[in-house]
């Protein structure tokens, strides 16, 4: 059964998926083919906000074409390449949803978890984080730098950030 809980905390139940893109012309169509049915299965209204981070390939044109055909797709184009964090921040600033889901266009994170995360949100959670449970496919350098990153962030942050959560 689709989620359709309405309450004062989430009056419109609009979900914004924020997707930073930099030279992703080869992955955008596949991403949309994977995420659309997942979002539609929730029964909630949604928008997919792509942030083109100064791509030098045909990403921006492909996104513009998709947005022209689908009113649920929005595109924000940055004037040059600022990096993923800046693109995410711009996306958060322009998101219209009651909930915002940041996700990479390369599908390194499973879109199938979105309905479960939305259930937690609708049950009252202000923040829902997904955590990697297995990093064994990553190299030693990647695992080591990730561990260092989470240790550093936990030290600097006033709020605890669990290890191996996504952004």
């Amino acid at each position: 059964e689709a989620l359709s809980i309405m309450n004062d905390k989430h009056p419109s139940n609009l979900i914004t998926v924020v997707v930073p893109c930099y030279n992703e012309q080869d992955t955008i169509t596949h991403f949309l083919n994977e995420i659309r049915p997942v979002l539609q299965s929730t029964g909630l209204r949604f928008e997919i906000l792509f942030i083109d981070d100064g791509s030098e390939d045909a990403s921006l044109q492909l996104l513009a074409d998709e947005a022209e055909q689908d009113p649920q797709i929005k595109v924000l184009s940055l004037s040059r390449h600022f990096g993923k964090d800046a693109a995410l921040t711009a996306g958060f600033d322009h998101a219209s949803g009651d909930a915002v889901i940041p996700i990479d266009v390369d599908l390194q994170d499973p879109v199938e978890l979105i309905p479960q995360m939305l259930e937690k949100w609708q049950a009252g959670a202000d923040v829902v984080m997904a955590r990697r449970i297995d990093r064994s496919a990553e190299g030693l350098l990647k695992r080591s730098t990730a561990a260092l990153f989470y240790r550093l962030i936990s030290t600097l942050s006033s709020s605890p950030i669990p290890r191996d959560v996504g952004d």
Side-chain angles (χ1 to χ4, degrees), residues 16-81:
T16 299
V17 178
V18 173
V19 188
C21 292
Y22 178 67
N23 295 337
E24 298 287 353
Q25 69 183 18
D26 296 334
T27 58
I28 292 167
T29 301
H30 180 64
F31 173 82
L32 286 169
N33 289 339
E34 294 294 318
I35 200 164
R36 274 184 178 129
V38 171
L39 293 171
Q40 290 166 347
S41 76
T42 68
L44 301 172
R45 294 182 325 113
F46 67 88
E47 65 180 6
I48 303 171
L49 175 57
F50 287 96
I51 313 304
D52 182 73
D53 187 22
S55 293
E56 298 169 352
D57 65 359
S59 293
L60 183 57
Q61 184 59 54
L62 178 59
L63 292 169
D65 292 346
E66 289 286 347
E68 190 173 302
Q69 295 179 29
D70 184 345
Q72 293 173 308
I73 295 177
K74 313 287 187 220
V75 180
L76 178 64
S77 176
L78 302 183
S79 61
R80 65 175 178 82
H81 181 60

Side-chain angles (χ1 to χ4, degrees), residues 34-149:
E34 294 294 318
I35 200 164
R36 274 184 178 129
V38 171
L39 293 171
Q40 290 166 347
S41 76
T42 68
L44 301 172
R45 294 182 325 113
F46 67 88
E47 65 180 6
I48 303 171
L49 175 57
F50 287 96
I51 313 304
D52 182 73
D53 187 22
S55 293
E56 298 169 352
D57 65 359
S59 293
L60 183 57
Q61 184 59 54
L62 178 59
L63 292 169
D65 292 346
E66 289 286 347
E68 190 173 302
Q69 295 179 29
D70 184 345
Q72 293 173 308
I73 295 177
K74 313 287 187 220
V75 180
L76 178 64
S77 176
L78 302 183
S79 61
R80 65 175 178 82
H81 181 60
F82 288 93
K84 181 181 172 184
D85 291 332
L88 281 172
T89 299
F92 294 154
D93 289 345
H94 288 84
S96 302
D98 300 300
V100 177
I101 302 170
I103 192 164
D104 291 338
V105 73
D106 64 5
L107 295 170
Q108 66 176 319
D109 300 314
V111 295
E112 298 81 21
L113 294 179
I114 290 174
Q116 292 171 274
M117 296 175 79
L118 288 171
E119 285 177 12
K120 301 287 187 191
W121 169 69
Q122 288 193 305
D126 290 326
V127 177
V128 179
M129 294 181 267
R131 184 178 60 85
R132 278 195 182 100
I133 55 175
D134 183 11
R135 294 192 91 117
S136 62
E138 297 174 347
L140 179 60
L141 179 62
K142 172 71 175 167
R143 288 193 314 267
S144 299
T145 56
L148 179 63
F149 169 80

